[in-house]
Amino acid sequence: MEALKKHLSPQQLVALMQSRGLVVSDKESAEKALQSINYYRLSGYLHNFKVSGSDRYETGLTWEKLLRIYNFDRRLTRILLFALEDIEETLKTRLSLTLTNSHPEDPEIYLRPIIYRKYEPYIKFVSFFEREIDNNKKQPFVKHHLENYGGHFPMWVAVELFTMGNIHALFENLIGKYQKALAALYETGPQQLSSWIENLTYTRNHLAHYMRVYNLNFGRSPMKCKKHSKYMLSTNMIFDQIYVIACMYSDADEWNNFVLPEIEQLLDEYTPDITLAGLGFQSDWQRILHRD
């Protein structure tokens, strides 16, 4: 077992990067930045600039370029989190409507074992939901239902306590007709939708912790769908996830006229510092991501 590395001050960290070939024209500015940016996170962007078999960086790599790649990642993360917020809210709404439209007389249908395949995952879900009620009992809408409805929550209220991970687990355990009904709203099949939700849950959590995206292999890719066949490759990079985000985004016009131009503008601005390959983007990525 290797010994843990010892603490280094911002001054020592800048010196370390310089010793490995990073060009730092303004040491004071770099040292100040490292009081706000965790070096361990920043160093992730350096891996792809290392000369094979050594700790040295490629000739000409500058602190300014490194910082711009870091800032590009931050801004791309904000755009994607905005889009994922829409997807999560829409998914909750469509899940609620799928079940309650089928059982309009039972607002708590999500708590009935008859809609699920297996009992054990169902019990696990109920346990989770009860725990979430307790954890959020001071939230006004939770408190209201505890005090006025004896702790009973209709589906359209309950979904506000669901996470993407909970939605995936619930969807996986639904009987087939409900899975198919929800998947049809996204013009795909149950297996594909399950894979999409699972992948975007991972991506959302990754982005929410502001972890690196650029030049990162996620080690996963959402399942492909013949009805969404503009992109059928698997790079395991962020583009695979962005394509599914485009497919699941609730408003095609908003995606085409707001989100997509934001991505395009960002890529244009940082063209000197990043590559499309570092994101898994294809040369015709605008066509692929445009909603028809």
Side-chain angles (χ1 to χ4, degrees), residues 140-152:
F141 78 95
V142 175
K143 185 178 180 181
H144 173 73
H145 281 78
L146 288 173
E147 293 177 352
N148 294 283
Y149 297 99
H152 293 276

Side-chain angles (χ1 to χ4, degrees), residues 215-266:
N215 265 328
L216 179 71
N217 187 319
F218 280 74
R220 59 173 63 224
S221 182
M223 186 179 291
K224 305 309 173 189
C225 173
K226 291 181 180 179
K227 293 183 180 179
H228 298 275
S229 58
K230 290 169 72 175
Y231 179 70
M232 299 297 282
L233 300 176
S234 294
T235 64
N236 289 344
M237 301 186 82
I238 192 63
F239 187 77
D240 296 4
Q241 311 292 331
I242 294 175
Y243 181 65
V244 170
I245 291 172
C247 293
M248 293 187 70
Y249 198 84
S250 66
D251 187 326
D253 287 338
E254 184 173 278
W255 173 264
N256 290 336
N257 298 315
F258 177 70
V259 184
L260 199 51
E262 285 280 307
I263 295 174
E264 186 168 15
Q265 181 181 344
L266 185 65

Side-chain angles (χ1 to χ4, degrees), residues 17-86:
M17 290 187 288
Q18 285 182 303
S19 73
R20 293 176 174 174
L22 185 70
V23 178
V24 183
S25 58
D26 187 342
K27 287 178 60 178
E28 186 177 344
S29 176
E31 291 164 0
K32 183 177 180 181
L34 288 172
Q35 294 176 16
S36 303
I37 304 170
N38 187 351
Y39 169 76
Y40 186 75
R41 179 183 174 193
L42 193 63
S43 66
Y45 300 93
L46 290 167
H47 290 313
N48 289 89
F49 292 102
K50 283 189 175 181
V51 176
S52 180
S54 78
D55 286 330
R56 298 282 303 173
Y57 307 132
E58 295 173 0
T59 302
L61 179 62
T62 66
W63 165 262
E64 288 75 18
K65 182 180 180 72
L66 175 64
L67 202 59
R68 280 182 62 80
I69 294 173
Y70 166 78
N71 285 326
F72 164 81
D73 230 21
R74 293 175 65 204
R75 290 175 61 182
L76 179 61
T77 291
R78 285 197 284 268
I79 294 171
L80 297 182
L81 282 174
F82 170 85
L84 284 165
E85 181 183 354
D86 168 89

